[in-house]
Amino acid sequence: MNSTSIDNATSRSQEVFKESHTRNMKTNDTSNSPPLVKEKDSYMVNNTNSSLPKATDAVVVTKNYTIEPQCTIMSRSDFCEIKGDIRIDGKSYTVFIVSSETDILTAENTSWSIRPYARKGDQAAMAAVREWTVKLVTDASDIPQCTQNHSVPAILFSAGGYAGNHFHAFTDVILPLFLTSRPYNGEVQLLITNGRPAWISKFKTIMKALSRYQLVSIDNSQDIHCYDSMTVGLKRRTNKELSVDPDPSSSPYSMNDFRKFLRSSYSLKKTMAAKIRNGSKKRPRLLIISRKRSRAFTNVGEIVTMAKRLGYRVATAEPDADVSGFAQIINSCDVVMGVHGAGLTNIVFLPENAVLVQVIPFGGTEWLSRTYFEEPAKGMNIRYLDYKIRVEESTLIQQYPADHVVLRDPSAIWKQGWFAVQSIYLRQQNVTLDVNRFRPTLVKALDLLHQ
């Protein structure tokens, strides 16, 4: 599993990440873009004098189907919901909506583009997502003819962008895909673009749990797949990472629903962390997430010995491509600890009321740690503790002189941009925990299990 911070994934510094998000959906003529009507955190296309599909007042009948194309533009994702005679050509990356009527084609523009990945606003991520064209056309001989007809709806999504990173696979793809597909209760077919075989294999259990039908790798497909209904893109209604909008009016599902779904998908047995009572001989289970390439604990043995003396049963493991196997391990634990990195994403498999202890590396990474794991953990009903290492606990002191700017002033490195921060504080650094200083944090985790 690639865990470089998030690892090679987040290509923007804190300041760049916080800037306002820009639109990625566009018509062929951007000078004639439609006005947007804001509805809570989403924007519905108001297509007066526009070539975009009409959100409310466009109704075109073809082959006994009603076409009601509706595109929703959100801060983190765009998606279009389409009904009618839909034909998907994977060779040209085009979704055709075929009509025998000409009314809807009177505007100058009858197509638009969408990158079906839920991290809009991050230009580096979206540049690695294949662009698809959704095109309204008349019923003519040059339109591709169906070779495979399907009786269930479809959802087209991308596993491009940063999805090779475990954290981004969940926050940018899997969680939005759950929110988009779950209402169909399995009666939906998933179409993947940018779908690398290793990624598909890694998350095959989740794909099978979301759909009763075979996953279709649609890129360059020789077949023309045809549907009566489909969604292009994924629904992500919040800017918060690894989170669901808590407003029930925006989504019928919560993070609790998502975690229940994961436990069911992977047949995870433990739903609640151990509750320790005074006088009980029950020993809670602690998992130390180990890393080998960077941000590794150099003194795991000392940490294990100290934790056992406190009364923990201790296991160590490093996540890999076997998501199912690691889900079983982490679900069996009551407390999990690890240095900030993509491997901590596996807290989604923890039982309720478990405790996450995030070790924050040296170098001004508090904002990353808070945004990517502290805030999401609290939304999952997981108790949260952190431990910020001192410079003396970082192996960077062995690589740089004591007065070097890397050790003396991390803010100066942040000013150089994300890649400088990533290459130094996330790739070059390992951690030698001061076990005496860290001990109270594990004691506090025990206290939380008593509550």
Side-chain angles (χ1 to χ4, degrees), residues 15-70:
E15 291 80 7
V16 175
F17 183 89
K18 288 183 176 179
E19 70 182 8
S20 60
H21 302 291
T22 58
R23 288 180 56 194
N24 282 310
M25 175 179 289
K26 56 184 181 293
T27 62
N28 289 345
D29 179 5
T30 55
S31 64
N32 191 32
S33 298
L36 300 176
V37 179
K38 184 176 182 182
E39 294 188 358
K40 294 185 179 179
D41 63 341
S42 64
Y43 294 80
M44 306 301 294
V45 175
N46 180 343
N47 72 317
T48 306
N49 298 321
S50 165
S51 64
L52 289 175
K54 298 186 178 183
T56 55
D57 59 343
V59 177
V60 177
V61 177
T62 176
K63 297 184 180 179
N64 297 320
Y65 296 116
T66 301
I67 298 177
E68 297 177 337
Q70 177 174 292

Side-chain angles (χ1 to χ4, degrees), residues 25 70-72 74 76-82 95 112-119 126 129-130 132 134 154-158 172-173 176-181 184 188-193 230-236:
M25 175 179 289
Q70 177 174 292
C71 294
T72 304
M74 296 181 173
R76 273 300 176 92
S77 66
D78 299 331
F79 63 92
C80 291
E81 295 174 306
I82 308 166
V95 177
W112 66 103
S113 301
I114 185 170
R115 297 179 190 268
Y117 180 78
R119 199 171 190 84
M126 300 306 288
V129 177
R130 179 162 285 118
W132 281 72
V134 179
I155 295 172
L156 173 63
F157 72 98
S158 171
D172 298 343
V173 181
L177 181 60
F178 167 81
L179 296 174
T180 308
S181 63
Y184 295 100
V188 65
Q189 187 157 48
L190 305 180
L191 312 179
I192 188 170
T193 182
M230 77 173 298
T231 301
V232 181
L234 299 177
K235 300 178 181 180
R236 184 177 179 182

